[in-house]
Amino acid sequence: MIFHTVLFNFVENVTSENIQGLEDALRADVANFPQVTFYACGRDLGVSAGSDQFAIVAGAETAKDLEDYLNDPGHKAIAAEWKHFVATRHAVEFESKKYLND
């Protein structure tokens, strides 16, 4: 499986409602892409000091499937709309043939 992982920190004036709006928009958008077979996003729980504030992990069987999702105009529109709330963003795509502890 190919995974796309993104970590965000937000600007100081972002509200809880803003973050919920981003999460809702992302979940609604990914629902349009059945080729994205794994998706999770959410706020940091505060378990580890220094963690980023928000994470997204999306998985697809092929890099092409993931690229189709990431390059879709709807997905790009969400990124553009919410960009002003983001202070830092880090992303990585990687392949993992084993992703369960079996």
Side-chain angles (χ1 to χ4, degrees):
M1 180 170 283
I2 308 298
F3 289 97
H4 169 69
T5 303
V6 183
L7 302 173
F8 296 109
N9 283 306
F10 297 105
V11 296
E12 285 187 32
N13 64 342
V14 73
T15 66
S16 183
E17 291 79 17
N18 295 142
I19 297 170
Q20 187 62 54
L22 172 61
E23 188 171 341
D24 292 346
L26 289 168
R27 288 184 186 280
D29 182 55
V30 77
N32 297 313
F33 295 89
Q35 66 270 37
V36 176
T37 58
F38 178 89
Y39 192 85
C41 69
R43 301 173 204 201
D44 178 58
L45 298 176
V47 174
S48 301
S51 296
D52 288 321
Q53 295 174 303
F54 192 85
I56 301 166
V57 180
E61 291 302 318
T62 69
K64 171 85 168 85
D65 289 341
L66 189 58
E67 288 172 14
D68 289 348
Y69 166 62
L70 296 176
N71 292 320
D72 180 76
H75 184 79
K76 288 186 176 223
I78 291 169
E81 178 183 351
W82 294 92
K83 187 175 185 172
H84 67 280
F85 288 117
V86 176
T88 62
R89 177 188 178 275
H90 301 97
V92 63
E93 288 80 36
F94 64 95
E95 182 175 16
S96 181
K97 297 195 184 305
K98 182 174 180 179
Y99 53 93
L100 296 174
N101 291 327
D102 55 304

